[in-house]
Amino acid sequence: MNKHIPRKRFGQNFLQDASVIANIVHAVNPQPDDVVIEIGPGLGAITKPLLAALKHLHVVEIDRDIISRLQTEFPAERLSIHAGDALVFDFASVAEGKLKIVGNLPYNISTPLLFHLATYGQKVTDMHFMLQKEVIERMVAEPSTADYGRLTVMLQYRFEMENILHVPPEAFWPPPKVDSAVVRMIPAPGRCGVAVDEALLEQVVTTAFSQRRKTLKNNLKGLLDADGFAALELDPGLRPENLPVEDYVRLANYLSGKGHKAKRP
Ligand code: SAM
Protein backbone atom coordinates (compact mmCIF):
# COMPACT_ATOMS: atom_id res chain seq x y z
CA MET A 1 0.00 0.00 0.00
CA ASN A 2 1.22 3.55 -0.74
CA LYS A 3 2.40 5.64 2.17
CA HIS A 4 -0.43 7.86 3.42
CA ILE A 5 0.38 11.58 3.54
CA PRO A 6 -1.10 12.99 6.77
CA ARG A 7 -3.79 15.62 6.19
CA LYS A 8 -3.65 18.60 8.49
CA ARG A 9 -7.27 19.57 7.83
CA PHE A 10 -8.39 16.25 9.32
CA GLY A 11 -6.11 16.63 12.35
CA GLN A 12 -4.09 13.57 11.34
CA ASN A 13 -1.38 12.77 13.90
CA PHE A 14 -1.02 9.01 13.95
CA LEU A 15 -0.09 7.14 17.11
CA GLN A 16 3.12 5.17 16.80
CA ASP A 17 4.16 4.50 20.40
CA ALA A 18 3.38 0.87 21.23
CA SER A 19 3.22 1.40 24.99
CA VAL A 20 0.79 4.35 24.67
CA ILE A 21 -1.41 2.27 22.35
CA ALA A 22 -1.32 -0.67 24.80
CA ASN A 23 -2.21 1.65 27.71
CA ILE A 24 -5.22 3.06 25.85
CA VAL A 25 -6.53 -0.39 24.90
CA HIS A 26 -5.97 -1.61 28.47
CA ALA A 27 -7.97 1.39 29.77
CA VAL A 28 -10.83 0.67 27.33
CA ASN A 29 -10.78 -2.99 28.47
CA PRO A 30 -12.71 -4.34 25.45
CA GLN A 31 -14.65 -7.59 25.98
CA PRO A 32 -15.50 -9.79 22.95
CA ASP A 33 -19.21 -8.90 22.75
CA ASP A 34 -18.90 -5.19 23.58
CA VAL A 35 -20.28 -2.75 21.02
CA VAL A 36 -17.39 -0.35 20.49
CA ILE A 37 -17.20 2.65 18.16
CA GLU A 38 -13.84 4.16 17.33
CA ILE A 39 -13.83 7.73 16.03
CA GLY A 40 -11.12 8.42 13.44
CA PRO A 41 -9.34 5.05 13.07
CA GLY A 42 -6.75 6.53 10.72
CA LEU A 43 -4.07 3.98 9.92
CA GLY A 44 -5.42 1.60 12.54
CA ALA A 45 -3.07 2.11 15.50
CA ILE A 46 -5.87 1.53 18.03
CA THR A 47 -8.21 -0.26 15.62
CA LYS A 48 -6.01 -3.37 15.28
CA PRO A 49 -5.52 -4.12 18.99
CA LEU A 50 -9.21 -3.35 19.66
CA LEU A 51 -10.24 -5.79 16.93
CA ALA A 52 -7.94 -8.42 18.40
CA ALA A 53 -10.08 -8.34 21.54
CA LEU A 54 -13.51 -7.83 19.95
CA LYS A 55 -15.75 -9.88 17.68
CA HIS A 56 -16.72 -6.73 15.80
CA LEU A 57 -15.81 -3.04 15.74
CA HIS A 58 -17.49 0.08 14.33
CA VAL A 59 -15.44 3.03 13.11
CA VAL A 60 -16.42 6.53 11.92
CA GLU A 61 -13.95 8.05 9.49
CA ILE A 62 -14.13 11.09 7.18
CA ASP A 63 -11.05 10.66 4.96
CA ARG A 64 -11.90 8.73 1.77
CA ASP A 65 -8.32 7.53 1.23
CA ILE A 66 -8.20 6.13 4.74
CA ILE A 67 -11.62 4.52 4.26
CA SER A 68 -10.42 2.61 1.18
CA ARG A 69 -7.28 1.46 3.03
CA LEU A 70 -9.44 0.18 5.90
CA GLN A 71 -11.74 -1.63 3.43
CA THR A 72 -8.72 -3.41 1.94
CA GLU A 73 -7.17 -4.25 5.27
CA PHE A 74 -10.15 -5.45 7.32
CA PRO A 75 -13.05 -7.76 6.34
CA ALA A 76 -16.50 -6.16 6.55
CA GLU A 77 -17.70 -8.94 8.92
CA ARG A 78 -15.20 -7.67 11.51
CA LEU A 79 -15.16 -3.93 10.84
CA SER A 80 -18.18 -1.71 10.02
CA ILE A 81 -16.96 1.50 8.46
CA HIS A 82 -19.30 4.49 8.83
CA ALA A 83 -18.00 6.94 6.28
CA GLY A 84 -18.66 10.54 7.27
CA ASP A 85 -18.32 13.30 9.79
CA ALA A 86 -18.32 12.27 13.47
CA LEU A 87 -19.72 15.73 14.32
CA VAL A 88 -23.10 14.78 12.83
CA PHE A 89 -22.93 10.99 13.21
CA ASP A 90 -25.84 9.40 15.08
CA PHE A 91 -23.94 7.19 17.53
CA ALA A 92 -27.20 5.72 18.86
CA SER A 93 -27.96 4.25 15.41
CA VAL A 94 -25.23 1.61 15.71
CA ALA A 95 -26.84 -0.66 18.31
CA GLU A 96 -29.87 -1.05 20.55
CA GLY A 97 -27.85 -1.48 23.72
CA LYS A 98 -24.98 0.33 25.39
CA LEU A 99 -21.81 1.43 23.63
CA LYS A 100 -18.22 2.16 24.38
CA ILE A 101 -16.74 5.03 22.37
CA VAL A 102 -13.03 5.54 21.88
CA GLY A 103 -10.81 7.73 19.73
CA ASN A 104 -7.64 9.65 19.25
CA LEU A 105 -9.70 12.67 18.29
CA PRO A 106 -8.89 15.25 15.63
CA TYR A 107 -7.88 18.21 17.83
CA ASN A 108 -9.27 20.85 15.47
CA ILE A 109 -12.86 19.74 16.18
CA SER A 110 -12.50 18.41 19.72
CA THR A 111 -14.73 20.93 21.54
CA PRO A 112 -17.78 20.68 19.22
CA LEU A 113 -17.27 16.90 19.06
CA LEU A 114 -17.32 16.65 22.88
CA PHE A 115 -20.56 18.67 22.99
CA HIS A 116 -22.05 16.32 20.36
CA LEU A 117 -20.89 13.21 22.25
CA ALA A 118 -22.20 14.58 25.56
CA THR A 119 -25.73 14.09 24.25
CA TYR A 120 -25.14 10.29 24.20
CA GLY A 121 -24.65 10.05 27.97
CA GLN A 122 -27.62 7.64 28.30
CA LYS A 123 -26.30 5.39 25.57
CA VAL A 124 -22.70 4.76 26.64
CA THR A 125 -20.98 2.77 29.36
CA ASP A 126 -17.77 4.74 28.94
CA MET A 127 -15.75 6.86 26.54
CA HIS A 128 -11.96 7.19 26.25
CA PHE A 129 -10.43 9.98 24.21
CA MET A 130 -6.99 11.24 23.37
CA LEU A 131 -7.13 15.03 23.30
CA GLN A 132 -4.91 18.03 23.60
CA LYS A 133 -3.76 18.10 27.26
CA GLU A 134 -5.18 21.62 27.80
CA VAL A 135 -8.66 20.48 26.72
CA ILE A 136 -8.62 17.65 29.26
CA GLU A 137 -7.44 20.07 31.95
CA ARG A 138 -10.52 22.18 31.16
CA MET A 139 -12.78 19.10 31.30
CA VAL A 140 -11.62 18.02 34.77
CA ALA A 141 -11.11 21.54 36.22
CA GLU A 142 -12.24 22.58 39.70
CA PRO A 143 -14.33 25.74 40.22
CA SER A 144 -12.43 29.00 40.77
CA THR A 145 -9.55 27.99 38.49
CA ALA A 146 -8.56 29.45 35.12
CA ASP A 147 -9.45 26.19 33.31
CA TYR A 148 -13.02 26.04 34.66
CA GLY A 149 -15.51 27.11 31.96
CA ARG A 150 -18.49 26.22 29.82
CA LEU A 151 -16.96 22.92 28.65
CA THR A 152 -16.22 21.94 32.27
CA VAL A 153 -19.76 22.63 33.50
CA MET A 154 -21.59 20.98 30.61
CA LEU A 155 -19.45 17.83 30.72
CA GLN A 156 -19.19 17.52 34.52
CA TYR A 157 -22.99 17.81 34.66
CA ARG A 158 -23.18 14.50 32.77
CA PHE A 159 -19.91 12.61 33.35
CA GLU A 160 -17.32 11.58 35.90
CA MET A 161 -14.02 12.33 34.16
CA GLU A 162 -10.45 11.39 34.85
CA ASN A 163 -7.18 12.28 33.14
CA ILE A 164 -5.60 8.82 32.92
CA LEU A 165 -2.50 9.23 30.75
CA HIS A 166 -0.08 11.92 29.64
CA VAL A 167 1.12 11.49 26.05
CA PRO A 168 4.09 13.46 24.66
CA PRO A 169 4.29 14.70 21.02
CA GLU A 170 6.90 12.02 20.11
CA ALA A 171 4.22 9.34 20.47
CA PHE A 172 2.75 10.52 17.15
CA TRP A 173 3.72 10.81 13.52
CA PRO A 174 3.86 13.62 12.59
CA PRO A 175 4.33 14.98 16.14
CA PRO A 176 1.74 17.64 17.11
CA LYS A 177 2.95 20.95 18.58
CA VAL A 178 1.13 20.28 21.83
CA ASP A 179 1.10 17.70 24.64
CA SER A 180 -1.76 15.24 24.71
CA ALA A 181 -3.58 13.21 27.33
CA VAL A 182 -6.24 10.52 27.58
CA VAL A 183 -9.50 11.13 29.41
CA ARG A 184 -11.96 8.53 30.70
CA MET A 185 -15.60 9.70 30.75
CA ILE A 186 -18.23 7.70 32.63
CA PRO A 187 -21.87 8.83 32.56
CA ALA A 188 -23.02 9.94 36.00
CA PRO A 189 -26.48 11.44 35.53
CA GLY A 190 -27.72 13.43 38.50
CA ARG A 191 -24.28 13.76 40.14
CA CYS A 192 -24.73 17.55 40.27
CA GLY A 193 -28.54 17.64 40.31
CA VAL A 194 -30.99 17.28 37.45
CA ALA A 195 -31.81 20.17 35.14
CA VAL A 196 -35.52 20.32 34.32
CA ASP A 197 -34.61 21.80 30.93
CA GLU A 198 -31.09 20.83 29.77
CA ALA A 199 -31.22 23.22 26.82
CA LEU A 200 -31.92 26.06 29.26
CA LEU A 201 -28.98 24.93 31.44
CA GLU A 202 -26.76 25.09 28.38
CA GLN A 203 -27.99 28.59 27.54
CA VAL A 204 -27.55 29.84 31.10
CA VAL A 205 -23.99 28.49 31.24
CA THR A 206 -23.12 30.01 27.87
CA THR A 207 -24.56 33.37 28.97
CA ALA A 208 -22.80 33.26 32.35
CA PHE A 209 -19.43 32.61 30.71
CA SER A 210 -19.95 35.11 27.87
CA GLN A 211 -17.44 37.43 29.56
CA ARG A 212 -15.22 35.61 32.02
CA ARG A 213 -13.79 38.71 33.67
CA LYS A 214 -17.20 40.18 34.45
CA THR A 215 -19.46 39.37 37.41
CA LEU A 216 -22.49 37.10 37.26
CA LYS A 217 -24.69 40.14 37.92
CA ASN A 218 -23.33 41.69 34.74
CA ASN A 219 -23.39 38.59 32.54
CA LEU A 220 -26.85 37.48 33.68
CA LYS A 221 -28.44 40.93 33.32
CA GLY A 222 -31.99 40.57 32.02
CA LEU A 223 -32.10 36.93 33.12
CA LEU A 224 -31.56 37.01 36.89
CA ASP A 225 -32.45 40.05 39.02
CA ALA A 226 -31.47 40.92 42.60
CA ASP A 227 -34.44 38.92 43.98
CA GLY A 228 -33.29 35.90 41.98
CA PHE A 229 -29.74 36.12 43.36
CA ALA A 230 -31.19 36.44 46.87
CA ALA A 231 -33.59 33.50 46.42
CA LEU A 232 -30.71 31.32 45.21
CA GLU A 233 -28.40 32.68 47.93
CA LEU A 234 -25.83 33.54 45.27
CA ASP A 235 -23.47 36.49 45.53
CA PRO A 236 -24.00 38.63 42.38
CA GLY A 237 -20.37 39.77 42.65
CA LEU A 238 -19.04 36.26 41.90
CA ARG A 239 -17.42 35.51 38.55
CA PRO A 240 -18.73 32.68 36.38
CA GLU A 241 -15.82 30.37 37.26
CA ASN A 242 -16.66 30.59 40.99
CA LEU A 243 -19.97 28.73 40.63
CA PRO A 244 -19.92 24.92 41.05
CA VAL A 245 -21.93 22.83 38.58
CA GLU A 246 -24.69 22.26 41.18
CA ASP A 247 -25.30 26.02 41.36
CA TYR A 248 -25.67 26.28 37.58
CA VAL A 249 -28.28 23.51 37.76
CA ARG A 250 -30.11 25.32 40.60
CA LEU A 251 -29.97 28.54 38.62
CA ALA A 252 -31.40 26.95 35.46
CA ASN A 253 -34.15 25.22 37.47
CA TYR A 254 -35.02 28.47 39.24
CA LEU A 255 -35.41 30.15 35.84
CA SER A 256 -37.49 27.20 34.55
CA GLY A 257 -39.74 27.65 37.59
CA LYS A 258 -40.15 31.32 36.63
CA GLY A 259 -41.33 30.25 33.17
CA HIS A 260 -38.08 30.74 31.23
CA LYS A 261 -37.66 28.41 28.30
CA ALA A 262 -34.58 27.67 26.23
CA LYS A 263 -34.55 29.57 22.97
CA ARG A 264 -34.76 26.98 20.20
CA PRO A 265 -32.54 27.65 17.18
N1 SAM B 1 -6.75 6.69 15.48
C1 SAM B 1 -5.59 7.02 14.64
C2 SAM B 1 -4.34 6.99 15.48
O1 SAM B 1 -4.47 7.03 16.71
O2 SAM B 1 -3.26 6.93 14.92
C3 SAM B 1 -5.77 8.37 13.94
C4 SAM B 1 -5.96 9.56 14.84
S1 SAM B 1 -5.93 11.11 13.99
C5 SAM B 1 -5.51 12.18 15.36
C6 SAM B 1 -7.63 11.58 13.76
C7 SAM B 1 -8.44 10.71 12.80
O3 SAM B 1 -9.77 11.24 12.72
C8 SAM B 1 -7.93 10.68 11.36
O4 SAM B 1 -8.05 9.38 10.86
C9 SAM B 1 -8.88 11.63 10.61
O5 SAM B 1 -8.99 11.37 9.24
C10 SAM B 1 -10.17 11.38 11.35
N2 SAM B 1 -11.11 12.53 11.31
C11 SAM B 1 -10.83 13.84 11.24
N3 SAM B 1 -11.94 14.59 11.25
C12 SAM B 1 -12.97 13.69 11.35
C13 SAM B 1 -14.39 13.84 11.40
N4 SAM B 1 -14.96 15.05 11.39
N5 SAM B 1 -15.14 12.72 11.48
C14 SAM B 1 -14.57 11.48 11.50
N6 SAM B 1 -13.24 11.28 11.44
C15 SAM B 1 -12.45 12.38 11.38
Side-chain angles (χ1 to χ4, degrees), residues 1 11 15 20 29 66 89 102 125 131 200 228 232-233 243 251:
M1 239 185 272
L15 261 176
V20 171
N29 189 23
I66 283 186
F89 183 70
V102 51
T125 47
L131 289 159
L200 182 62
L232 288 161
E233 295 181 20
L243 237 54
L251 177 46

Side-chain angles (χ1 to χ4, degrees), residues 10-15 40-42 45 60-62 84-86 104 106 109:
F10 291 143
Q12 291 179 350
N13 299 99
F14 300 108
L15 261 176
V60 184
E61 175 59 62
I62 201 167
D85 186 348
N104 169 12
I109 57 162

Side-chain angles (χ1 to χ4, degrees), residues 4 7 9-16 21 24 38-47 60-64 66 82 84-88 103-109 113 130 172-173:
H4 177 77
R7 294 198 163 96
R9 72 175 185 283
F10 291 143
Q12 291 179 350
N13 299 99
F14 300 108
L15 261 176
Q16 56 171 7
I21 294 166
I24 294 173
E38 187 195 18
I39 301 173
L43 303 178
I46 311 174
T47 320
V60 184
E61 175 59 62
I62 201 167
D63 184 327
R64 284 166 190 274
I66 283 186
H82 304 272
D85 186 348
L87 279 174
V88 292
N104 169 12
L105 299 186
Y107 294 171
N108 48 350
I109 57 162
L113 190 50
M130 171 95 74
F172 304 86
W173 170 78

Side-chain angles (χ1 to χ4, degrees), residues 177-190:
K177 290 196 179 70
V178 292
D179 275 358
S180 303
V182 177
V183 68
R184 170 179 288 143
M185 303 172 69
I186 303 203

